[in-house]
Amino acid sequence: MPLVTTVTRFKAKPGAEDELVESLKAFDNSNSLSWQIIALSDNEFAAINTYDSIEERSDDVVTGLTWLDSISHLLELYKDSRTKAFSGIIVAASEA
C-alpha cells in the first residue's frame, strides 16, 4: 500500500511561536510513521507527517480537529482558515 504524506502550515500570533511549537510537538503523532516540524518564517511552521495509509491519516483528522480547537488562540488566520494543508501519495522517495 502506498505511503501518504501530509503537510499542514500554521501561522502563530506574534509572541506565540514557542507555545505553538510546543503544542505541535505535544500532538499525538502515534498514527504516523514519522513526523517533523519545520520553521518556514519567523512565525510560520509546517507539520509534516507520513502514514502507512490514508485511513491512518483520517484517524488523525478526527482527533486533530479537537486539538486544533484547543490551540486556535495561538494562530493567525489564513483568510478564513486556521491552517493550510495538503496530502498526497508518495510516488518517489530516497531510501533511508
Side-chain angles (χ1 to χ4, degrees):
M1 184 167 284
L3 298 177
V4 175
T5 292
T6 66
V7 178
T8 308
R9 290 172 53 186
F10 301 85
K11 190 171 187 180
K13 289 182 177 176
E17 296 87 353
D18 291 342
E19 190 174 354
L20 176 58
V21 169
E22 289 305 313
S23 296
L24 291 168
K25 288 169 43 179
F27 180 75
D28 178 7
N29 288 291
S30 61
N31 285 330
S32 60
L33 295 173
S34 65
W35 61 273
Q36 297 174 322
I37 301 165
I38 60 172
L40 302 175
S41 67
D42 290 339
N43 65 334
E44 192 170 18
F45 303 89
I48 303 167
N49 295 69
T50 298
Y51 297 87
D52 273 325
S53 68
I54 195 68
E55 291 79 19
E56 290 179 356
R57 168 62 184 144
S58 298
D59 291 343
D60 272 0
V61 169
V62 174
T63 58
L65 290 174
T66 300
W67 171 82
L68 188 58
D69 288 342
S70 76
I71 66 160
S72 288
H73 66 284
L74 303 174
L75 303 175
E76 285 190 16
L77 294 180
Y78 294 102
K79 294 190 180 184
D80 61 351
S81 179
R82 297 177 286 188
T83 64
K84 288 186 176 182
F86 58 91
S87 301
I89 294 170
I90 297 174
V91 296
S94 65
E95 296 289 325

